mmCIF file of all heavy atoms in Angstrom:
data_model
loop_
_atom_site.group_PDB
_atom_site.id
_atom_site.type_symbol
_atom_site.label_atom_id
_atom_site.label_comp_id
_atom_site.label_asym_id
_atom_site.label_seq_id
_atom_site.Cartn_x
_atom_site.Cartn_y
_atom_site.Cartn_z
ATOM 1 N N ALA A 84 68.998 -46.029 7.522
ATOM 2 C CA ALA A 84 70.070 -46.841 6.943
ATOM 3 C C ALA A 84 70.153 -48.213 7.593
ATOM 4 O O ALA A 84 70.776 -49.131 7.041
ATOM 5 C CB ALA A 84 71.412 -46.123 7.073
ATOM 6 N N GLY A 85 69.555 -48.363 8.777
ATOM 7 C CA GLY A 85 69.597 -49.647 9.464
ATOM 8 C C GLY A 85 70.950 -49.971 10.057
ATOM 9 O O GLY A 85 71.293 -51.150 10.196
ATOM 10 N N GLU A 86 71.712 -48.962 10.406
ATOM 11 C CA GLU A 86 73.050 -49.160 10.973
ATOM 12 C C GLU A 86 72.981 -48.967 12.485
ATOM 13 O O GLU A 86 72.678 -47.879 12.981
ATOM 14 C CB GLU A 86 74.045 -48.177 10.349
ATOM 15 C CG GLU A 86 74.209 -48.379 8.844
ATOM 16 C CD GLU A 86 75.069 -47.306 8.207
ATOM 17 O OE1 GLU A 86 75.516 -46.383 8.936
ATOM 18 O OE2 GLU A 86 75.285 -47.372 6.984
ATOM 19 N N PHE A 87 73.293 -50.036 13.215
ATOM 20 C CA PHE A 87 73.168 -50.053 14.670
ATOM 21 C C PHE A 87 74.367 -50.754 15.281
ATOM 22 O O PHE A 87 75.095 -51.494 14.608
ATOM 23 C CB PHE A 87 71.905 -50.821 15.099
ATOM 24 C CG PHE A 87 70.612 -50.216 14.628
ATOM 25 C CD1 PHE A 87 70.016 -50.661 13.451
ATOM 26 C CD2 PHE A 87 69.989 -49.227 15.357
ATOM 27 C CE1 PHE A 87 68.815 -50.130 13.023
ATOM 28 C CE2 PHE A 87 68.783 -48.683 14.932
ATOM 29 C CZ PHE A 87 68.203 -49.131 13.766
ATOM 30 N N ARG A 88 74.524 -50.518 16.578
ATOM 31 C CA ARG A 88 75.417 -51.361 17.354
ATOM 32 C C ARG A 88 74.609 -51.993 18.481
ATOM 33 O O ARG A 88 73.670 -51.389 19.012
ATOM 34 C CB ARG A 88 76.600 -50.580 17.920
ATOM 35 C CG ARG A 88 76.287 -49.565 18.996
ATOM 36 C CD ARG A 88 77.579 -48.938 19.547
ATOM 37 N NE ARG A 88 77.300 -47.877 20.513
ATOM 38 C CZ ARG A 88 77.150 -48.069 21.821
ATOM 39 N NH1 ARG A 88 77.241 -49.304 22.325
ATOM 40 N NH2 ARG A 88 76.921 -47.055 22.634
ATOM 41 N N GLU A 89 74.928 -53.238 18.808
ATOM 42 C CA GLU A 89 74.246 -53.906 19.900
ATOM 43 C C GLU A 89 74.718 -53.332 21.231
ATOM 44 O O GLU A 89 75.904 -53.036 21.406
ATOM 45 C CB GLU A 89 74.506 -55.407 19.860
ATOM 46 C CG GLU A 89 73.889 -56.098 18.661
ATOM 47 C CD GLU A 89 74.085 -57.609 18.703
ATOM 48 O OE1 GLU A 89 74.914 -58.070 19.521
ATOM 49 O OE2 GLU A 89 73.408 -58.322 17.939
ATOM 50 N N ILE A 90 73.785 -53.159 22.155
ATOM 51 C CA ILE A 90 74.122 -52.648 23.474
ATOM 52 C C ILE A 90 73.465 -53.544 24.514
ATOM 53 O O ILE A 90 72.603 -54.372 24.204
ATOM 54 C CB ILE A 90 73.665 -51.181 23.666
ATOM 55 C CG1 ILE A 90 72.144 -51.047 23.481
ATOM 56 C CG2 ILE A 90 74.403 -50.267 22.705
ATOM 57 C CD1 ILE A 90 71.623 -49.644 23.765
ATOM 58 N N GLU A 91 73.871 -53.365 25.766
ATOM 59 C CA GLU A 91 73.284 -54.130 26.858
ATOM 60 C C GLU A 91 72.008 -53.438 27.334
ATOM 61 O O GLU A 91 71.796 -52.242 27.130
ATOM 62 C CB GLU A 91 74.285 -54.260 28.010
ATOM 63 C CG GLU A 91 75.581 -54.944 27.634
ATOM 64 C CD GLU A 91 75.369 -56.347 27.075
ATOM 65 O OE1 GLU A 91 74.476 -57.070 27.594
ATOM 66 O OE2 GLU A 91 76.077 -56.719 26.121
ATOM 67 N N TRP A 92 71.171 -54.190 28.020
ATOM 68 C CA TRP A 92 69.906 -53.656 28.502
ATOM 69 C C TRP A 92 70.106 -52.503 29.486
ATOM 70 O O TRP A 92 69.335 -51.536 29.481
ATOM 71 C CB TRP A 92 69.066 -54.761 29.137
ATOM 72 C CG TRP A 92 68.246 -55.494 28.129
ATOM 73 C CD1 TRP A 92 68.498 -56.719 27.593
ATOM 74 C CD2 TRP A 92 67.030 -55.036 27.515
ATOM 75 N NE1 TRP A 92 67.523 -57.060 26.687
ATOM 76 C CE2 TRP A 92 66.601 -56.050 26.630
ATOM 77 C CE3 TRP A 92 66.267 -53.884 27.637
ATOM 78 C CZ2 TRP A 92 65.451 -55.929 25.856
ATOM 79 C CZ3 TRP A 92 65.103 -53.758 26.879
ATOM 80 C CH2 TRP A 92 64.716 -54.767 26.008
ATOM 81 N N ASP A 93 71.130 -52.585 30.325
ATOM 82 C CA ASP A 93 71.348 -51.501 31.285
ATOM 83 C C ASP A 93 71.566 -50.177 30.568
ATOM 84 O O ASP A 93 71.030 -49.133 30.957
ATOM 85 C CB ASP A 93 72.553 -51.821 32.178
ATOM 86 C CG ASP A 93 72.225 -52.845 33.245
ATOM 87 O OD1 ASP A 93 71.022 -53.110 33.456
ATOM 88 O OD2 ASP A 93 73.164 -53.395 33.862
ATOM 89 N N GLU A 94 72.344 -50.219 29.478
ATOM 90 C CA GLU A 94 72.593 -48.997 28.721
ATOM 91 C C GLU A 94 71.324 -48.536 28.006
ATOM 92 O O GLU A 94 71.002 -47.339 27.986
ATOM 93 C CB GLU A 94 73.715 -49.220 27.704
ATOM 94 C CG GLU A 94 74.048 -47.967 26.885
ATOM 95 C CD GLU A 94 75.142 -48.191 25.850
ATOM 96 O OE1 GLU A 94 75.719 -49.302 25.817
ATOM 97 O OE2 GLU A 94 75.418 -47.245 25.079
ATOM 98 N N ALA A 95 70.589 -49.476 27.437
ATOM 99 C CA ALA A 95 69.373 -49.126 26.698
ATOM 100 C C ALA A 95 68.338 -48.496 27.619
ATOM 101 O O ALA A 95 67.740 -47.456 27.289
ATOM 102 C CB ALA A 95 68.813 -50.374 26.022
ATOM 103 N N LEU A 96 68.127 -49.103 28.767
ATOM 104 C CA LEU A 96 67.120 -48.598 29.684
ATOM 105 C C LEU A 96 67.545 -47.283 30.315
ATOM 106 O O LEU A 96 66.707 -46.395 30.551
ATOM 107 C CB LEU A 96 66.817 -49.642 30.752
ATOM 108 C CG LEU A 96 66.133 -50.919 30.238
ATOM 109 C CD1 LEU A 96 66.077 -51.975 31.329
ATOM 110 C CD2 LEU A 96 64.725 -50.606 29.722
ATOM 111 N N ALA A 97 68.844 -47.152 30.593
ATOM 112 C CA ALA A 97 69.333 -45.897 31.160
ATOM 113 C C ALA A 97 69.147 -44.748 30.172
ATOM 114 O O ALA A 97 68.741 -43.636 30.550
ATOM 115 C CB ALA A 97 70.806 -46.036 31.543
#
Side-chain angles (χ1 to χ4, degrees):
E86 297 173 358
F87 297 95
R88 68 176 175 89
E89 293 184 346
I90 59 176
E91 301 302 322
W92 274 102
D93 283 347
E94 181 181 355
L96 293 171

